[in-house]
Amino acid sequence: ALVESQELRGNRPGAEAALAKARLQKLEPLDAAYLDFQASTLQGNPDAILVALRRVSDLSPGDTVLIRSLAELQTNKGQFAEAAASWKKLRQVIPNDQDALNQMGYSLAWSGDYAGAVAAMQDYARIRPGEPNPFDSLADVHYMYRKYAEAARIYQENHAKFPDFLEGGELYKAAWAKFMAGDRKGADTVFAQYRKLREKAPGTPLVSADWLFRTGRRKEGLAELRSRVEETGDNGEKLFLLNQLAVWDLLEGDRVAAERDSKAAGNPTSAAAFLIRFSTLPSATATEWQARANQMHLNPELNALRKLALAYALVLDGKKPAALPLWKELSEESKPVDFPMRAAWTLLKGEQPKLALVPDPRIINAFAAVMQTQPAR
């Protein structure tokens, strides 16, 4: 308790002195383990924290808060199989903990255990048959493992039973699942249902244009988005759409239009807008792009964007070989649960990610088409 109180006051020397004094005492194993956890926390050593927390949890199997903390930490460290075991342990203590069931299923999926993940999600659905989330999670697992037809079927059935779930987002997921399965006509039909349902919702025009652009109808997607820019009276929406147009202009090889659209959006007010503005600079050699990145005047909190801006700019200027080392570094520096970043690196190498990224209409990524996994038709 003294160690904790000193730590809460910001008195690290006092906390370390209390730790040293405590270690001189005759302690029970659980107390000794908890002191190790406090020491590793003071040192800020993530690996030591994980080891210590696991030991504390093992010695206190009924402490559900500890088990949950351990599972979350293991997930963030990319120890997915271990996280699944911790979630399973939590479920044994609290059999009907639906979050533990859900997280266990996803952890098994991320660990590479498709059969185990499906079984966990089916168990989750059995316990919570009147709720939509278990079936959505089950479909997500199928999607991750590229069982697209099965995923589409479950998403659609789930929407039919729970039409308000995810504000109709199950239809969006089903549309992409059908598209990835090769059923383009069926995909368009389901997407049209989603669009009609969300007709008056903010963001729908962009999602609709994005669907066209990323399913191979680039000119139609660009035209639809440009039409929306001209007709909207919402300045915030207009700036957002202009930035998206700039990315698509670059993918179409029209750097003049990209620069025009980006500048029309005004000074960048978000990280994405900053990345886009940098990418629309005139075409240059890889060396010149590097010099431009080095000359950026960034606030300290934005400095991490320098490498990402350069990485995107090189790809969008057709300098993929020069971009690959940067994407490798970005992937290695990212958290294990940053699946989009790791997937980008894998796709740029010309390989398929181990797991497919599940689509979500609530997450709009202006650069989604840059890492397109399907060839345009």
Side-chain angles (χ1 to χ4, degrees), residues 160-324:
K161 292 178 183 176
F162 309 100
D164 295 329
F165 181 64
L166 298 180
E167 299 179 322
E170 293 291 73
L171 289 174
Y172 180 83
K173 291 184 176 186
W176 273 111
K178 282 182 172 292
F179 177 77
M180 298 299 284
D183 182 5
R184 299 194 175 197
K185 183 178 180 181
D188 277 338
T189 299
V190 175
F191 185 82
Q193 293 172 355
Y194 171 75
R195 181 176 178 175
K196 183 177 181 180
L197 184 67
R198 301 281 299 160
E199 190 172 9
K200 297 182 179 180
T204 297
L206 175 55
V207 173
S208 177
D210 177 74
W211 172 258
L212 290 171
F213 193 91
R214 290 203 290 134
T215 54
R217 292 156 288 188
R218 290 186 168 190
K219 293 189 184 304
E220 294 94 322
L222 277 164
E224 184 168 314
L225 199 59
R226 202 168 291 283
S227 174
R228 178 62 184 176
V229 167
E230 293 171 357
E231 68 185 30
T232 183
D234 184 331
N235 192 54
E237 181 190 22
K238 180 175 289 188
L239 302 185
F240 194 80
L241 299 182
L242 282 166
N243 277 313
Q244 181 64 82
L245 276 172
V247 176
W248 291 354
D249 291 332
L250 289 173
L251 287 171
E252 289 292 276
D254 192 344
R255 190 162 287 270
V256 172
E259 183 180 11
R260 182 182 65 242
D261 287 331
S262 176
K263 286 185 176 179
N267 293 326
T269 57
S270 67
F274 169 80
L275 296 174
I276 293 166
R277 176 61 59 83
F278 182 75
S279 295
T280 60
L281 292 174
S283 179
T285 64
T287 302
E288 176 60 24
W289 276 113
Q290 180 68 68
R292 290 170 177 173
N294 292 341
Q295 292 165 8
M296 287 181 190
H297 298 291
L298 297 175
N299 295 327
E301 62 270 19
L302 294 177
N303 200 47
L305 290 176
R306 190 187 307 273
K307 186 184 295 183
L308 187 59
L310 179 58
Y312 271 123
L314 287 169
V315 170
L316 288 165
D317 196 23
K319 310 291 191 304
K320 190 171 83 168
L324 284 175

Side-chain angles (χ1 to χ4, degrees), residues 64-97:
T64 58
V65 174
L66 273 177
I67 299 172
R68 192 179 299 276
S69 297
L70 176 60
E72 291 171 350
L73 188 56
Q74 287 168 326
T75 299
N76 288 331
K77 292 287 290 181
Q79 297 181 4
F80 300 126
E82 293 85 349
S86 294
W87 289 118
K88 183 177 180 180
K89 183 179 177 181
L90 181 60
R91 191 199 164 191
Q92 290 169 347
V93 180
I94 314 175
N96 292 326
D97 188 318

